Amino acid sequence: MDKNTFKEDIFPILFLTIVVCIAVVALTATNGFTEKLIEDNKNEAIKENLAVLFPEMDDLQVNETIGVYTILKEGNTIGYAFEAVGQGYGGDISIMVGLENTSMAEDDIIVVGITIIDAAGETPGLGQLITEESFLEQFVGVNANDMMLSKNGGQIDAISGATISSSAVVDAIHDTMLAKAELIRELLEGGI
Amino acid sequence: MSVIENLKKGIMKSNPVLVLLLGLCPALAVSTSLDNAIGMTAAVMFVLINANLIVSIIRKWTPDRVRIPVFIVIIASLVTIVDLTIQAFSPDLSKSLGIFLPLIVVNCIILGRAEAFASKNSITDSLADALGMGLGFGLALLIISFFRQLLGTGTLELFGQTLLEVPGLLDNPMAIFILPMGAFLVMACLLAFLRYMGVIANE
């Protein structure tokens, strides 16, 4: 192999390979260092949201297979919570929904309250108004059957100028609460 | 050019956002509040300074044929490091910068400076260039977000502290300035004003 081939063809390949190897090492190190912190942040955020919905909560049980948190107080179930994700105006909106501890029959699914976990993609001053208390408090005590915008016959008033964000929240909660209620029912009957 | 000149040119004469019109996507998208502008600037500066430093150090060995892939690998790694670090230590900032944080990878200021400057100049000059460009980017973002936040929400907040409130605007904010369209309006007015004042030289 003459010197030219090495300089022209092989060295560039070697050089790029070395650069990539160094990058992999640096990224693995960073990931190892931050992974636990990021995980902790997420769990912390979930706990904070749950504490808002269930102030009297003293323990928490995570059912990972069905994606439901069982909220406990002195060992008794006081409610359930889960995350609902809706397609908003500028990305996903994720919502923490709390349910009362009911029979979970289709006409007996009642919302304790909701908090918005992430609505960063929504427009500030319009879509992000879904994080305001005046919008969120409408959801307290609402039955699954009434979980619709008022123009569709439900109980929730949309924010004017932010219909997409409002209906994304309502639809996501409506669909997810029905699905989760069924799973909770199966869980209680020992099906899962 | 001296180190000082290299530093100064990024802030005024060839400000990346206001004169070169590079990196407009993040500049327009995250300039809705002063907090976002500062967070974005810090992230871009970290990447820009380190990218220029590394590219300048390895410039004598980097083969011409693979230089762009090499730069991209370096930049993408630095951005991922910043992204993970912000997620770990400031989840709120990470949320509000959203997708625009990982998108620093494709910010043309960074690849542009690596290719046009750091790959041909000494380490000191490259660092000065990166610092100047970073400050210029930050300055532009701060000016744009100042107007957008003030007009669009009626208040000026910095790290949770209210700096300024405009009573009339507070009740009826001009929400259009927070929307993407407002970014273009502010940017256009700013460029026209700077040109009129002669701060930016006409071509």
Side-chain angles (χ1 to χ4, degrees):
Chain A
M1 177 170 55
D2 61 77
K3 212 173 160 226
N4 242 359
T5 328
F6 179 77
K7 200 163 176 266
E8 287 295 308
D9 294 334
I10 298 175
F11 182 66
I13 299 173
L14 279 178
F15 190 86
L16 187 53
T17 313
I18 293 166
V19 169
V20 171
C21 288
I22 296 171
V24 168
V25 172
L27 289 178
T28 314
T30 316
N31 187 43
F33 179 63
T34 54
E35 200 177 19
K36 210 185 155 295
L37 285 165
I38 294 173
E39 191 66 34
D40 287 352
N41 285 339
K42 273 189 192 143
N43 291 334
E44 196 60 34
I46 289 171
K47 275 216 179 106
E48 269 171 31
N49 280 299
L50 290 176
V52 171
L53 296 177
F54 300 96
E56 67 271 46
M57 165 181 86
D58 59 15
D59 199 10
L60 172 71
Q61 201 183 330
V62 187
N63 303 296
E64 280 189 11
T65 40
I66 60 171
V68 171
Y69 305 97
T70 307
I71 314 296
L72 301 167
K73 184 197 175 190
E74 291 159 6
N76 299 317
T77 304
I78 54 169
Y80 300 93
F82 55 85
E83 207 181 316
V85 178
Q87 183 62 47
Y89 187 72
D92 286 346
I93 302 174
S94 56
I95 311 138
M96 184 63 82
V97 185
L99 296 184
E100 278 181 28
N101 184 18
T102 60
S103 67
M104 293 294 158
E106 218 157 291
D107 52 1
D108 192 23
I109 313 167
I110 299 160
V111 172
V112 168
I114 66 163
T115 58
I116 305 288
I117 302 173
D118 182 12
E122 302 312 290
T123 318
L126 287 172
Q128 283 198 354
L129 292 178
I130 60 171
T131 59
E132 301 270 315
E133 193 53 44
S134 55
F135 181 68
L136 298 178
E137 68 190 7
Q138 297 187 78
F139 290 83
V140 177
V142 174
N143 195 292
N145 297 327
D146 299 322
M147 186 54 72
M148 281 180 282
L149 290 180
S150 44
K151 64 171 185 185
N152 300 330
Q155 275 193 9
I156 312 294
D157 291 329
I159 294 165
S160 58
T163 320
I164 295 178
S165 309
S166 309
S167 71
V169 173
V170 174
D171 292 348
I173 295 175
H174 179 259
D175 295 351
T176 318
M177 74 194 283
L178 287 179
K180 296 291 183 190
E182 203 176 319
L183 289 170
I184 295 170
R185 217 162 51 225
E186 282 174 34
L187 180 79
L188 294 176
E189 287 160 7
I192 298 174
Chain B
M1 264 202 279
S2 73
V3 173
I4 302 292
E5 275 172 54
N6 274 324
L7 189 75
K8 261 168 59 184
K9 74 168 191 293
I11 301 172
M12 291 299 267
K13 208 171 68 195
S14 43
N15 183 300
V17 178
L18 300 175
V19 183
L20 304 179
L21 301 182
L22 290 176
L24 289 186
C25 171
L28 296 179
V30 303
S31 59
T32 50
S33 72
L34 292 178
D35 289 1
N36 278 358
I38 292 170
M40 190 66 184
T41 305
V44 166
M45 268 194 127
F46 173 86
V47 176
L48 192 54
I49 290 173
N50 283 290
N52 261 18
L53 174 70
I54 297 170
V55 167
S56 178
I57 290 172
I58 62 167
R59 72 184 187 280
K60 283 178 186 139
W61 302 287
T62 312
D64 235 23
R65 289 168 66 184
V66 294
R67 68 180 194 287
I68 299 288
V70 168
F71 297 163
I72 299 270
V73 170
I74 294 169
I75 294 167
S77 308
L78 289 168
V79 171
T80 311
I81 290 171
V82 174
D83 189 18
L84 290 175
T85 312
I86 292 184
Q87 276 184 46
F89 293 102
S90 178
D92 290 341
L93 182 63
S94 160
K95 253 189 203 171
S96 63
L97 292 181
I99 185 67
F100 294 101
L101 201 53
L103 278 182
I104 297 174
V105 175
V106 288
N107 187 324
C108 9
I109 299 172
I110 295 159
L111 185 61
R113 294 330 286 173
E115 164 74 2
F117 198 91
S119 63
K120 297 173 190 128
N121 287 283
S122 74
I123 296 171
T124 338
D125 284 341
S126 300
L127 282 177
D129 178 75
L131 197 61
M133 286 287 161
L135 289 174
F137 179 77
L139 182 71
L141 247 67
L142 278 178
I143 298 174
I144 298 171
S145 58
F146 173 86
F147 286 112
R148 288 184 69 191
Q149 194 180 18
L150 191 63
L151 297 172
T153 64
T155 58
L156 213 52
E157 275 182 17
L158 189 63
F159 304 126
Q161 303 281 318
T162 307
L163 301 179
L164 189 64
E165 277 186 1
V166 184
L169 270 176
L170 205 56
D171 308 324
N172 290 306
M174 295 186 256
I176 194 171
F177 281 102
I178 289 290
L179 298 174
M181 194 176 152
F184 285 102
L185 287 176
V186 171
M187 178 86 185
C189 294
L190 188 61
L191 287 180
F193 176 74
L194 289 178
R195 228 152 244 221
Y196 176 72
M197 297 299 286
V199 179
I200 306 172
N202 284 305
E203 301 286 313

